[in-house]
């Protein structure tokens, strides 16, 4: 059974790599990551946090979690996600009475039929020894997260980091092409004072 489980997980990781590398559109890759991860690791929600300067920003999410919203930011000292990112080490919180979860659940909305955060698993996203973000999973189905889940999510994180890197490079190249075009148009416009020629250039 363990061998079958291992083969199944290897197949899932292959499918993840194939899916995420099927496009170089950064927005599509960011949107796909939590959806693919939650399908492989059954839990209530998966969040993708990426660094925006010195803070983490929640850029994509899949599942239900009333304690966070997409686009929120978190700096060190403001929550366990940013604190974990400071250490660069993966984190498993299995105790539902953990004070870090209690702090997270302060924003929990009891009127929504969604469970508060009872357990969490966080893994850093690394690119060339630099941390670019965090992938977080909350509320494992049937039981809290364990070391086996941690290893599996770390394996996913490698594929996720590579996909983000490739998509980011394509995004940067497109920005560079746009900037080069703007510089070219700017130099053309400033090269003449003739109105007819200026209109033609534009």
């Amino acid at each position: 059974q363990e061998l079958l489980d291992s083969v199944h997980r290897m197949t899932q990781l292959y499918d993840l790599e194939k899916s995420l590398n099927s496009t170089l559109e950064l927005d599509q890759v960011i949107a796909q990551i939590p959806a693919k991860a939650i399908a492989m690791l059954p839990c209530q929600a998966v969040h993708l946090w990426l660094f925006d300067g010195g803070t983490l920003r929640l850029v994509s999410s899949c599942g239900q979690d009333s304690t966070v919203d997409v686009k929120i930011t978190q700096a060190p000292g403001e929550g366990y996600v940013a604190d974990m990112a400071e250490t660069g080490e993966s984190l498993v919180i299995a105790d539902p009475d953990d004070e870090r979860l209690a702090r997270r659940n302060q924003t929990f909305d009891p009127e929504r039929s969604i469970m508060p955060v009872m357990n969490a698993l966080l893994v850093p996203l690394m690119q060339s020894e630099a941390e670019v973000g965090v992938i977080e999973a909350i509320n494992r189905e049937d039981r809290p997260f364990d070391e086996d889940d941690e290893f599996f999510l770390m394996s996913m994180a490698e594929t996720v980091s590579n996909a983000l890197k490739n998509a980011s490079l394509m995004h940067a190249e497109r920005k560079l092409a746009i900037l080069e075009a703007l510089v070219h148009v700017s130099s053309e416009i400033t090269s003449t004072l003739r109105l007819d020629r200026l209109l033609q250039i534009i």
Side-chain angles (χ1 to χ4, degrees), residues 9-10 12-13 16 20 32-43 45-49 80-81 84 89-93 119-126 133-140 143 145-162:
R9 286 195 167 185
M10 289 297 293
Q12 287 181 307
L13 290 171
L16 176 68
L20 294 183
Q32 284 182 11
I33 289 168
K36 295 294 182 182
I38 200 172
M40 296 169 64
L41 186 63
C43 58
V46 172
H47 305 306
L48 176 63
W49 300 78
Y80 64 77
V81 181
M84 168 264 159
E89 300 289 337
S90 57
L91 173 67
V92 178
I93 305 177
N119 54 84
L121 169 60
L122 299 92
V123 169
L125 298 173
M126 308 296 293
V134 174
I135 185 166
E136 176 194 19
I138 66 162
N139 294 352
R140 178 75 156 88
R143 59 172 176 79
F145 292 103
D146 57 21
E147 291 181 355
D148 190 41
D149 297 320
E150 180 183 3
F151 178 78
F152 190 38
L153 190 59
M154 287 175 66
S155 300
M156 282 191 254
E158 293 181 16
T159 299
V160 167
S161 296
N162 289 333

Side-chain angles (χ1 to χ4, degrees), residues 1-2 6 12 16 65 72-74 78 102 104 125 144 163-164 172 182-183 190:
Q1 184 60 46
E2 289 180 359
S6 297
Q12 287 181 307
L16 176 68
D65 183 1
I72 69 164
T73 59
Q74 193 175 109
E78 295 179 352
R104 171 73 166 263
L125 298 173
L164 284 172
L182 288 173
V183 170
T190 55

Side-chain angles (χ1 to χ4, degrees), residues 13-162:
L13 290 171
Y14 172 77
D15 289 340
L16 176 68
E17 185 169 1
K18 187 177 179 181
S19 297
L20 294 183
N21 289 306
S22 65
T23 179
L24 289 175
E25 296 293 335
L26 184 59
D27 290 342
Q28 290 184 26
V29 172
I30 287 174
Q32 284 182 11
I33 289 168
K36 295 294 182 182
I38 200 172
M40 296 169 64
L41 186 63
C43 58
Q44 184 174 310
V46 172
H47 305 306
L48 176 63
W49 300 78
L50 295 179
F51 276 106
D52 184 3
T55 61
L56 280 172
R57 183 179 298 277
L58 180 57
V59 296
S60 182
S61 181
C62 184
Q64 296 183 318
D65 183 1
S66 65
T67 64
V68 292
D69 293 302
V70 174
K71 295 185 179 180
I72 69 164
T73 59
Q74 193 175 109
E78 295 179 352
Y80 64 77
V81 181
D83 292 342
M84 168 264 159
E86 279 288 287
T87 68
E89 300 289 337
S90 57
L91 173 67
V92 178
I93 305 177
D95 182 4
D97 296 324
D98 192 291
E99 61 179 12
R100 292 168 291 186
L101 297 184
R103 183 178 178 187
R104 171 73 166 263
N105 289 324
Q106 286 178 352
T107 58
F108 175 70
D109 184 359
E111 294 184 0
R112 298 172 63 180
S113 56
I114 303 172
M115 282 183 60
V117 182
M118 305 297 291
N119 54 84
L121 169 60
L122 299 92
V123 169
L125 298 173
M126 308 296 293
Q127 291 179 6
S128 302
E129 299 183 358
E131 190 176 5
V132 298
V134 174
I135 185 166
E136 176 194 19
I138 66 162
N139 294 352
R140 178 75 156 88
E141 286 186 5
D142 302 326
R143 59 172 176 79
F145 292 103
D146 57 21
E147 291 181 355
D148 190 41
D149 297 320
E150 180 183 3
F151 178 78
F152 190 38
L153 190 59
M154 287 175 66
S155 300
M156 282 191 254
E158 293 181 16
T159 299
V160 167
S161 296
N162 289 333

